[in-house]
């Protein structure tokens, strides 16, 4: 029996990238929740104390998380705000799963605030808090195949933190990278017309 071409296209497209995050991870369900100001202040105090005691881990600059330091051998398959995308999707130039298991590096010095498998369209996720020029930023690395650090670790720029994955086979292998200047948001959904709290990762890295 011949399968209609349109069905084949639909099936294949669901594996190409993270353009089809599950609705259960809708960003609007998470970032629209108001955060208690007192709680936010207490959380900032936590990081102020951490970095005051560990000043060597304050970020001084940033570099790309793949093909360090300048993403050699990789390309940005889906840029920030393309299709309402809240990050960058880094793929190996070989395409498909040729980059599965490739190293992921910390973009800058920082503190690992989260490192675990949250399943669904995200898979293994790493979140790192960076103190830089007196402000706080967060880098988020998603769909990882493996995680090489733990929550509570300090990392230096260029530290191997994980490997490129495919969210347990949901997509072709790639790294979904987000950079946020609101470090207290939930994981979100990866896509939204509302970009408050999110920065263009490539622009941020290039100018810092």
């Amino acid at each position: 029996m011949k399968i209609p071409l349109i069905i084949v296209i639909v099936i294949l497209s669901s594996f190409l990238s993270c353009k089809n995050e599950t609705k259960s991870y809708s960003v609007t369900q998470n970032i629209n929740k108001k955060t208690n100001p007192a709680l936010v202040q207490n959380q900032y105090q936590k990081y102020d104390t951490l970095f005051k005691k560990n000043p060597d881990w304050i970020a001084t600059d940033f570099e790309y998380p793949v093909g360090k330091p300048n993403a050699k051998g990789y390309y940005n398959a889906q840029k920030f705000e393309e299709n309402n995308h809240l990050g960058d999707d880094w793929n190996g130039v070989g395409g498909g799963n040729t980059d599965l298991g490739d190293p992921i590096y910390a973009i800058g010095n920082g503190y690992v605030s989260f490192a675990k498998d949250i399943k669904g369209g995200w898979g293994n996720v790493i979140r790192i808090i960076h103190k830089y020029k007196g402000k706080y930023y967060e880098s988020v690395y998603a769909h990882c195949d493996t995680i090489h650090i733990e929550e509570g670790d300090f990392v230096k720029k260029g530290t191997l933190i994980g490997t490129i994955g495919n969210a347990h086979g949901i997509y072709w292998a790639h790294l979904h990278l987000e950079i946020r200047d609101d470090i207290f948001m939930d994981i979100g959904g990866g896509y939204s017309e509302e970009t408050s709290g999110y920065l263009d990762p490539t622009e941020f890295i290039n100018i810092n």
Side-chain angles (χ1 to χ4, degrees), residues 70-172:
N70 58 4
K72 183 178 181 180
Y74 296 84
Y75 70 100
N76 191 352
Q78 186 174 205
K79 300 177 181 179
F80 181 71
E81 292 191 310
E82 181 181 342
N83 303 311
N84 297 323
H85 197 221
L86 295 174
D88 286 342
D89 279 350
W90 286 100
N91 289 65
V93 295
N97 280 326
T98 58
D99 52 353
L100 181 64
D102 283 3
I104 299 170
Y105 305 102
I107 64 169
N109 300 351
Y111 174 81
V112 180
S113 62
F114 185 93
K116 64 177 63 176
D117 185 0
I118 60 174
K119 313 296 183 182
W122 285 101
N124 287 308
V125 173
I126 299 167
R127 304 176 71 167
I128 298 177
I129 302 297
H130 308 277
K131 186 171 187 179
Y132 178 65
K133 294 184 176 180
K135 297 182 179 180
Y136 287 103
Y137 301 92
E138 180 184 44
S139 55
V140 179
Y141 314 76
H143 315 326
C144 303
D145 187 48
T146 58
I147 295 176
H148 290 199
I149 41 76
E150 297 179 353
E151 183 175 332
D153 286 348
F154 283 95
V155 294
K156 288 287 189 179
K157 179 185 71 176
T159 297
L160 176 67
I161 59 173
T163 58
I164 292 177
N166 53 20
H168 308 301
I170 294 178
Y171 320 116
W172 288 122

Side-chain angles (χ1 to χ4, degrees), residues 23-37 39-40 43 180 182-189 192 194 196-198:
K23 291 183 179 179
S24 61
Y25 287 87
S26 172
V27 72
T28 57
Q29 293 174 350
N30 294 300
I31 67 171
N32 289 334
K33 296 177 181 178
K34 293 183 178 180
T35 305
N36 185 316
L39 177 61
V40 170
Q43 288 176 308
R180 306 173 175 189
D182 180 347
I183 65 173
F184 302 118
M185 293 191 294
D186 290 336
I187 189 60
S192 177
E194 174 58 59
S196 178
Y198 295 85

